[in-house]
Amino acid sequence: MKLSEFVLGLLTVGMLTGGVIKAHADTPAEGDVKRALRLAPQGVKIDDYFEKGDISNNSAKIVDTGRGEKQAVQLTDGGQNELGILWTSDLAKMNLRQDQTASMWLYTGNSWNSGDGMAFVMQNDERGIQASALDQRNGTAIPATGETLGVWGYDVNNQYSAEQLAKAGIQKSWALEFDTFLNRNLPTEEKDGDSKNSDRWKEFFLKQENFATQFDLDKHINGKHIASGYPGDASAYQVFRRNFKWDVNWTSWEPGPFGVNHPVHHTTTHTSSYPYAVLKHDGLILTKGSMSPLSSGYWQHVTLVWDASASEMKYTFGDKDPKTGAAQAGTSSTVRIDKCKLGLKDSDTNQRIRWGFTGSTGANTESNLVVFEQVPSLVSVAATAQLTDMTRNKSVNTTDSVVHAGDRLRLTYDLKYISGRESWKDVQAKLQLPSNVRFTSAKVVYSNGYSQTLQVPNNSLAKLADKLSQELSADKLSATILLDGIAVAGPTAETAVSATNSSFTGINAIAQTSLTGFKVIQTDDDKMQLRLTGPNSSADGTSGASDLTKPQDVEITGNVSHTKGDPQKDQILTIQPVLNGIEQPTQVFDSTASKGDFTYKLAADRILSGRENTLKLYVTDSEGRSTNDVLYTVTLAAGFRELAVSPKASFNHGNPVELKGAAMTLPPDNNWQVTVNDTKQIGDQWELTAKATSFISKLNQPLPAYLAYVTKNGTSDLQQGMVTVLTHRKTTANPEVVNVANAWQQGQGLLLKVGSDAVQGSYYSEITWVLRDVPKSD
C-alpha cells in the first residue's frame, strides 16, 4: 500500500516454481510482468468466470502465461498510481450457503519496497462491478489507489471519522489484504524544545492533503502482512489525533523615535491537531521469517476455505513451496464473517455474493498477478440408482435380492446438483438397464415440480432423450428419472440379472452410477388375470373407453380370476390405479364375497378436460402377486370459463349524495355485473383480479378518490396495482355460475373512497379485470 519514491530498476536473482530465474535487469513494468507470467505455475483457464470492474482507468486484464491461455489475472503492471479490479460475473458468484474452496498463486512484485498490494474481496455493493474505494476530495468521487488497495476507505484528507471512511470503501464487503507496503508515515511525537521535529510537523501538517499512509500504525505490524476486515463498516477503522505545536515568525514595522518606523520581530505559536486513520487488522499474518515474504519475486500460494455452517473463512498463506510447488504447512488464520455486514441474513435463501480481486500502486509500484488452481466448483454433481420392488415394498440392492416374476418394479435415478458456478447443461442420460424387466413407462421429475414424459425404452441400452429438458442448478437442485416395469421370468425357475452401469453426460460434467445385480424367480404357475367387464370394454377385456361432454364420475367394472386354483384363497385384493402417470389412492375389495367382481369409480374432479385421460389398473393380492395391466381411456370435451362484466357501471349516479366537504365512502350502484360462467371441469380453482386507472373528468380534471376493495382482512387500492377480488377454491358443479358482485356485503366489496376536497361532477375510471386458473390446493 503506498505513496513513496520511485525505483528505476531492479536486479533479481532467485528461483520460481518450474525453473530458475537468471540474473537480468527488469524495468519496473514490462520486465517484471513478463518474467512472472513466463514462469507462472500451472492454473486453470478463467476468462469465462470474470469481468473487468467498470471503473475509469482500470488496469486489470486476463492474460496468458507460459502454461496456457487466459490463466492469469493481471491487476497492475508496475506503473504508478494504478488500480486494477476484476469481479466474477453474476453467474460465477460464490454461494455462501455451501462450503467453498479457492486455491491460487499470487505474485506481488520483486522488491522490498514494492507497493501497495492486492486484496481478495467478497462484496454485495449495490454498484456491482462498478464498486471500488473512492477518493472524495473536492466534492468528487473517483476510484482511489494507494493504501486503499482499491477496497478500503480513502483517508487522503485526514479529516474523516470512521463512519466517513467506511462510506468511501466498498460497501457490504469483506476483504483479505495482501499488503506489500508498510503505511506508517507519521512524524514522531514532538518534544519540548525540539524545534527540528516541530518543523517536520509543520511541513507535514501543511502538506497533509498529499498523505494517506497511516493505516499500518499498529503495534503488531512491522512489515508486509496479510489481514482481513470489512471495508464498508466503521468497525474496520480507528481514527486518532496527534497534537503538536509549531512557531510562525513574522515582522511588523512600527513607529519609533523621531517618527521613523523600525522592524519588530514576533513569534506566534500554533497548536494543531492532525487526524489519521489506522486499520484494524483481523486474522493478522506477518509474512516474515523463514517463509518467503510478499514482494520477494516468488509466486506465493494461498488457500481460502469457507465453512458455511460456521460462517468462517480460513486462509492459509505459503501452503506450497514457491520453488517446487510441494505442499507445506504455511501459516493460517481463521475469522468469522458476519454476513449481516455483507447485506445478507442467515434466513436469506439466496446467499450468492460477488467476489474478485483489487490491486493498487502509489508512488511505489509492483506487478500484481493471480493464477487460480481451484475456484469454487464450476459444477459438482452426483448420481445414484435404486431398484424397488413395489409389489413387495422392498429395495433390490444386493446380488442376493430376489424379485418374483410379475412383480412391479420401479427403477429410480437421482441426479443431484451439489454446487457450482454454472448449471449442469445438456445432460444426456445413457442407461444400461437391467435385463428381465419389461418397462412400461418413463419420466423425469425435477425439483421445481416440472415433469417430462420420456419414451419407454425397448432395449437394455436406453437413450431416453437427446437431452433432459431442464438444466440443473442452484434453483433446480435435482432431477429424478423414474422407470416403471414388470419383472419377467427367465428360461429357468431362477434367473440371475447382471449389474449395470449408467452415465449422465453434460457439456460441463459427467456422473455415473451402478445398479447391483439381482435374481428373478417364478414360484407359482397359478396367475391372477384382470379383465374389464363393462359395456365400453374390448372383447379381450384389456381396454375400454368413455367419451364425456361434461364432467361426471365414471364407473369402471372388472373381474379378477385365476388361471387355476380356487379364488377363495384370495379373499382381499387391492386395486392399484394410475391416472395419467400419477398413482391414485388404492381400493380394497373382498374377492370371495364378490366372486372377483369389482367397481372402480373415477371421480369427475380427476378428469382433465380437452384431452384423453388414461387410467391404468392392476390388482395385487396379500401374497404379493400381481395381475396384468388394463387400460381405460376417458375423453372429456373441452369446456370454457368466461367473465361477464358491465361495460358501464357507476357510483352515486341514480340517486346522488351531495358532497359536503368531507371524505366519503360510496357503495356501487345496482348496475354492476361481475359474473363468472364456468363449464370447465369440477374441482378447478380460479382467481379474479382487478386494477383501475385514476378518476378524471372529460376535461381531464382529476378526482381525489380511489377505488377500494374492502374485505374483513383490510382495504386494497385498485389504482396501486392488481388486487385479488375473489379466489374460487373449488368448482363444485358443471355448469357453475358465480355472481361476484352479489357477494359484496354491506361495507365490503368494491367501494369508492372520495376525498374531502372533491368537486361535484362526472368522473371516469377504467377497470381491468383478469380471470385466470390457479393450481389446485389439494
Side-chain angles (χ1 to χ4, degrees):
M1 291 167 126
K2 168 60 228 125
L3 294 138
S4 188
E5 65 274 11
F6 179 58
V7 179
L8 292 177
L10 300 170
L11 184 67
T12 303
V13 179
M15 295 183 67
L16 189 65
T17 305
V20 177
I21 304 171
K22 303 213 175 172
H24 65 283
D26 288 327
T27 64
E30 296 180 348
D32 190 42
V33 171
K34 288 180 179 179
R35 177 178 58 82
L37 292 175
R38 184 176 68 252
L39 298 172
Q42 181 65 50
V44 296
K45 192 175 182 180
I46 57 172
D47 57 322
D48 291 337
Y49 309 152
F50 294 95
E51 53 186 311
K52 195 172 180 178
D54 187 10
I55 61 170
S56 60
N57 300 320
N58 190 350
S59 59
K61 53 187 174 182
I62 296 175
V63 296
D64 302 339
T65 73
R67 303 276 185 166
E69 295 182 349
K70 308 297 183 183
Q71 288 194 7
V73 173
Q74 180 180 318
L75 297 169
T76 63
D77 60 8
Q80 289 183 316
N81 297 312
E82 286 187 322
L83 175 61
I85 297 182
L86 207 68
W87 298 118
T88 50
S89 65
D90 289 340
L91 293 176
K93 288 182 177 179
M94 183 184 297
N95 188 353
L96 295 185
R97 281 194 173 277
Q98 300 171 343
D99 294 343
Q100 305 283 355
T101 298
S103 175
M104 67 203 77
W105 292 91
L106 306 182
Y107 186 82
T108 54
N110 62 355
S111 173
W112 64 270
N113 62 347
S114 293
D116 282 272
M118 68 174 78
F120 171 89
V121 183
M122 299 190 305
Q123 58 99 344
N124 202 17
D125 195 306
E126 281 74 9
R127 293 172 292 173
I129 63 171
Q130 294 179 325
S132 73
L134 294 177
D135 176 354
Q136 303 184 91
R137 289 178 292 178
N138 303 320
T140 63
I142 61 175
T145 59
E147 71 173 356
T148 70
L149 300 184
V151 64
W152 302 105
Y154 197 40
D155 189 31
V156 70
N157 284 330
N158 300 303
Q159 297 172 354
Y160 296 118
S161 64
E163 289 73 19
Q164 288 171 312
L165 274 167
K167 290 179 181 178
I170 293 181
Q171 301 300 290
K172 300 178 185 177
S173 68
W174 176 85
L176 177 64
E177 68 169 10
F178 302 89
D179 192 343
T180 60
F181 186 87
L182 195 60
N183 297 100
R184 303 174 67 92
N185 188 8
L186 199 67
T188 58
E189 290 278 7
E190 180 190 9
K191 298 179 181 178
D192 290 340
D194 186 355
S195 60
K196 185 176 180 180
N197 193 57
S198 181
D199 290 340
R200 287 197 299 269
W201 268 105
K202 173 183 175 182
E203 179 182 3
F204 190 84
F205 181 75
L206 292 176
K207 294 182 178 180
Q208 63 176 297
E209 185 178 337
N210 297 321
F211 291 88
T213 57
Q214 290 86 46
F215 272 1
D216 299 325
L217 282 169
D218 182 325
K219 66 180 180 180
H220 302 293
I221 296 176
N222 57 7
K224 303 176 193 297
H225 55 275
I226 300 168
S228 64
Y230 305 96
D233 191 87
S235 65
Y237 309 92
Q238 294 175 292
V239 176
F240 298 96
R241 289 185 176 274
R242 185 68 59 85
N243 297 320
F244 64 96
K245 294 184 292 184
W246 49 284
D247 296 335
V248 174
N249 299 313
W250 55 284
T251 301
S252 65
W253 289 85
E254 299 181 5
F258 311 110
V260 178
N261 291 339
H262 67 283
V264 178
H265 299 284
H266 306 272
T267 298
T268 301
T269 300
H270 291 265
T271 300
S272 297
S273 177
Y274 177 77
Y276 61 95
V278 176
L279 278 182
K280 293 181 181 178
H281 294 82
D282 296 334
L284 178 65
I285 296 176
L286 296 175
T287 59
K288 296 184 63 178
S290 59
M291 189 186 312
S292 298
L294 294 169
S295 303
S296 64
Y298 296 101
W299 286 87
Q300 301 288 339
H301 195 268
V302 180
T303 302
L304 291 88
V305 178
W306 168 249
D307 184 333
S309 61
S311 291
E312 290 182 344
M313 182 72 82
K314 178 181 179 181
Y315 44 92
T316 305
F317 176 74
D319 54 344
K320 290 189 177 182
D321 190 313
K323 301 184 182 75
T324 65
Q328 58 186 29
T331 303
S332 298
S333 187
T334 301
V335 297
R336 186 181 185 280
I337 295 181
D338 184 351
K339 288 187 284 188
C340 290
K341 293 183 179 180
L342 305 182
L344 300 171
K345 299 177 182 178
D346 287 336
S347 59
D348 289 342
T349 301
N350 182 3
Q351 293 194 4
R352 297 174 69 239
I353 193 165
R354 194 183 306 279
W355 63 273
F357 272 89
T358 66
S360 69
T361 63
N364 281 32
T365 65
E366 69 186 30
S367 305
N368 285 315
L369 301 131
V370 186
V371 168
F372 287 94
E373 281 188 331
Q374 181 181 344
V375 294
S377 300
L378 180 63
V379 181
S380 179
V381 295
T384 58
Q386 175 64 53
L387 184 65
T388 303
D389 189 328
M390 305 298 289
T391 301
R392 302 172 192 279
N393 192 27
K394 67 177 185 178
S395 295
V396 181
N397 51 18
T398 69
T399 54
D400 294 328
S401 295
V402 173
V403 301
H404 294 253
D407 283 359
R408 306 287 163 154
L409 303 180
R410 171 163 292 175
L411 178 53
T412 304
Y413 293 97
D414 283 316
L415 313 182
K416 301 276 187 195
Y417 180 94
I418 299 172
S419 63
R421 293 192 172 132
E422 293 183 3
S423 57
W424 195 13
K425 303 175 183 178
D426 297 341
V427 180
Q428 171 66 62
K430 296 180 180 179
L431 308 181
Q432 184 183 10
L433 300 175
S435 62
N436 294 84
V437 180
R438 178 173 59 85
F439 289 98
T440 58
S441 66
K443 66 178 180 179
V444 57
V445 179
Y446 300 89
S447 56
N448 63 352
Y450 177 79
S451 62
Q452 172 190 0
T453 301
L454 303 172
Q455 183 177 356
V456 178
N458 57 12
N459 56 56
S460 61
L461 292 176
K463 178 182 176 183
L464 290 185
D466 288 339
K467 61 182 179 181
L468 301 188
S469 64
Q470 296 198 0
E471 300 173 357
L472 299 188
S473 66
D475 297 322
K476 295 185 285 291
L477 291 173
S478 65
T480 301
I481 298 175
L482 299 170
L483 297 104
D484 288 335
I486 302 173
V488 177
T492 60
E494 180 178 294
T495 302
V497 177
S498 300
T500 57
N501 184 69
S502 298
S503 65
F504 304 89
T505 304
I507 62 173
N508 50 8
I510 298 174
Q512 291 183 317
T513 185
S514 297
L515 189 68
T516 184
F518 57 95
K519 299 173 183 176
V520 177
I521 62 173
Q522 178 69 53
T523 58
D524 189 354
D525 292 333
D526 184 12
K527 300 177 181 179
M528 297 189 301
Q529 185 171 359
L530 171 62
R531 298 179 71 254
L532 296 175
T533 58
N536 295 324
S537 303
S538 63
D540 62 2
T542 60
S543 62
S546 293
D547 292 329
L548 305 178
T549 58
K550 64 178 183 178
Q552 63 185 59
D553 295 342
V554 176
E555 292 188 345
I556 301 163
T557 60
N559 176 267
V560 177
S561 61
H562 291 258
T563 56
K564 67 178 183 178
D566 187 350
Q568 294 284 340
K569 64 181 180 180
D570 298 315
Q571 293 185 356
I572 304 299
L573 298 179
T574 302
I575 302 172
Q576 309 281 351
V578 180
L579 178 63
N580 297 323
I582 301 174
E583 295 177 357
Q584 306 295 306
T586 60
Q587 178 180 314
V588 176
F589 70 100
D590 187 329
S591 67
T592 301
S594 65
K595 297 182 180 180
D597 293 330
F598 67 88
T599 298
Y600 177 79
K601 184 172 71 173
L602 178 59
D605 62 358
R606 298 290 178 180
I607 302 172
L608 302 178
S609 63
R611 58 163 289 180
E612 289 186 348
N613 296 264
T614 302
L615 176 69
K616 180 177 73 174
L617 296 175
Y618 64 94
V619 176
T620 57
D621 67 9
S622 56
E623 296 181 14
R625 293 179 300 179
S626 174
T627 69
N628 55 295
D629 294 342
V630 295
L631 297 177
Y632 196 93
T633 303
V634 180
T635 303
L636 174 61
F640 65 89
R641 185 179 300 120
E642 62 182 3
L643 174 68
V645 297
S646 306
K648 291 184 179 181
S650 60
F651 292 87
N652 201 38
H653 180 68
N655 186 21
V657 176
E658 185 179 351
L659 299 179
K660 297 181 180 180
M664 303 175 65
T665 299
L666 300 175
D669 294 337
N670 60 8
N671 56 359
W672 284 83
Q673 178 194 5
V674 183
T675 304
V676 177
N677 301 314
D678 192 356
T679 65
K680 296 183 81 171
Q681 64 195 50
I682 294 173
D684 276 1
Q685 295 187 43
W686 50 263
E687 180 180 73
L688 178 63
T689 59
K691 66 178 180 179
T693 61
S694 299
F695 281 89
I696 59 171
S697 70
K698 288 185 178 180
L699 298 177
N700 288 327
Q701 296 300 313
L703 176 69
Y706 67 94
L707 279 178
Y709 198 79
V710 181
T711 68
K712 63 181 180 180
N713 297 321
T715 300
S716 300
D717 184 351
L718 271 69
Q719 284 157 213
Q720 298 299 315
M722 279 292 182
V723 172
T724 299
V725 173
L726 178 64
T727 299
H728 193 61
R729 294 299 179 188
K730 192 170 184 179
T731 302
T732 58
N734 189 291
E736 183 180 66
V737 179
V738 179
N739 193 322
V740 178
N742 278 359
W744 297 342
Q745 301 175 2
Q746 184 69 29
Q748 293 188 5
L750 194 63
L751 302 173
L752 180 62
K753 300 282 188 177
V754 182
S756 60
D757 54 344
V759 177
Q760 195 81 25
S762 296
Y763 299 88
Y764 305 88
S765 173
E766 183 178 278
I767 301 177
T768 300
W769 302 89
V770 176
L771 178 66
R772 67 183 184 92
D773 290 337
V774 294
K776 296 180 181 180
S777 58
D778 59 351

